[in-house]
Amino acid sequence: MSQLKPLLLVENLGISTVQDPRTLINDVTFEIHAGEAVGVVGESGSGKTLTSLSILGLLPRGVAVTAGSVNYNGMNLTTASPQQIRELRGSAISMVYQDPMTALNPVMKIGKQLLEVIESHEKLDANSDQRVRDALKEVGIPDVARAMQSYPHEFSGGMRQRVMIAMALLLSPKLLIADEPTTALDVTIQQQILSLVAEQRQKRNMSMLWITHDLGVVANLVDRLIVMYAGRIVESGTVKEIFTNPQHPYTAGLLSSLPTTADKSRKRLTSIAGVPQKPWLVGQSCAFAPRCFKVQPECRTQIPHLVGNLEKSVACFHPMGAL
């Protein structure tokens, strides 16, 4: 796979605030190939969402890409015109957001909102309504005719998220970005949404970037994992490698905090002491050094860089085991 041209290539990405410059994302590099699903995990503030928003030019006001590039199918999105980005957004690359209640327009009927997706990229025709009905039906929305005439508040959280997925898939994107879309849902509904996304990805041979803080959520959903900490990638690799042979102490700490069905004694879960550093306060050191049980003097005076390959890489002077 590594010899094939990636669908999405993020290289040495840097993101900073514009005024009173503060580095938020530093030297982030990863790739996603056609049909591949990649997960990005890390604590709140690690830079997951900012990285995903930068792909579609949706960074908040006062924040900008200041280094590196984002290439989609050979196009540099960091230098593309606003019109080029708009043409890609929602068609070639779609996004599902964390909170469907704020992502959907509360005063517009569901059918109208999905029709707007089509209208933003092509002219509406006699077949447009049917395309919307088919999209809603495909994600398991019951009574589609009624749903099209309903407002978002008339749906449960799970149903609203299904609507968001239908909207994202309406124009058959090549890449789906999902920013913690199951966080606000209960466990049962969460599993239904995960199964739905996995089914649609396989059916469409669609690439996916799944953002989450929960390793357990992505264990059976993605092919590769990227672990972020304080605005940098600290480890990446296949799901099997990450779960069975974590190299970075931070990744090992995240995994040890997960409950397992094999634990019959219900022992106390392990937690990582301390809190994450702000990316702009790290300086020339490993950001995880203040919380790391393997810390050595060089960890406090040098920045570790990713070493390895697509299957497994780690940014650590003293990894958990041999690569």
Side-chain angles (χ1 to χ4, degrees), residues 256-284:
S256 66
S257 68
L258 293 175
T260 66
T261 54
D263 181 17
K264 304 300 182 183
S265 62
R266 297 172 68 99
K267 63 183 180 182
R268 187 181 182 88
L269 295 175
T270 304
S271 62
I272 304 174
V275 295
Q277 287 197 79
K278 302 295 185 184
W280 59 89
L281 298 177
V282 173
Q284 294 297 309

Side-chain angles (χ1 to χ4, degrees), residues 9-22:
L9 176 61
V10 178
E11 289 188 292
N12 309 118
L13 182 69
I15 299 175
S16 305
T17 54
V18 177
Q19 295 183 338
D20 184 24
R22 293 181 173 184

Side-chain angles (χ1 to χ4, degrees), residues 293-311:
F293 66 93
K294 298 190 72 176
V295 64
Q296 297 294 322
E298 60 268 32
C299 304
R300 302 186 189 277
T301 59
Q302 301 176 50
I303 299 174
H305 297 285
L306 280 174
V307 176
N309 52 44
L310 197 63
E311 298 299 316

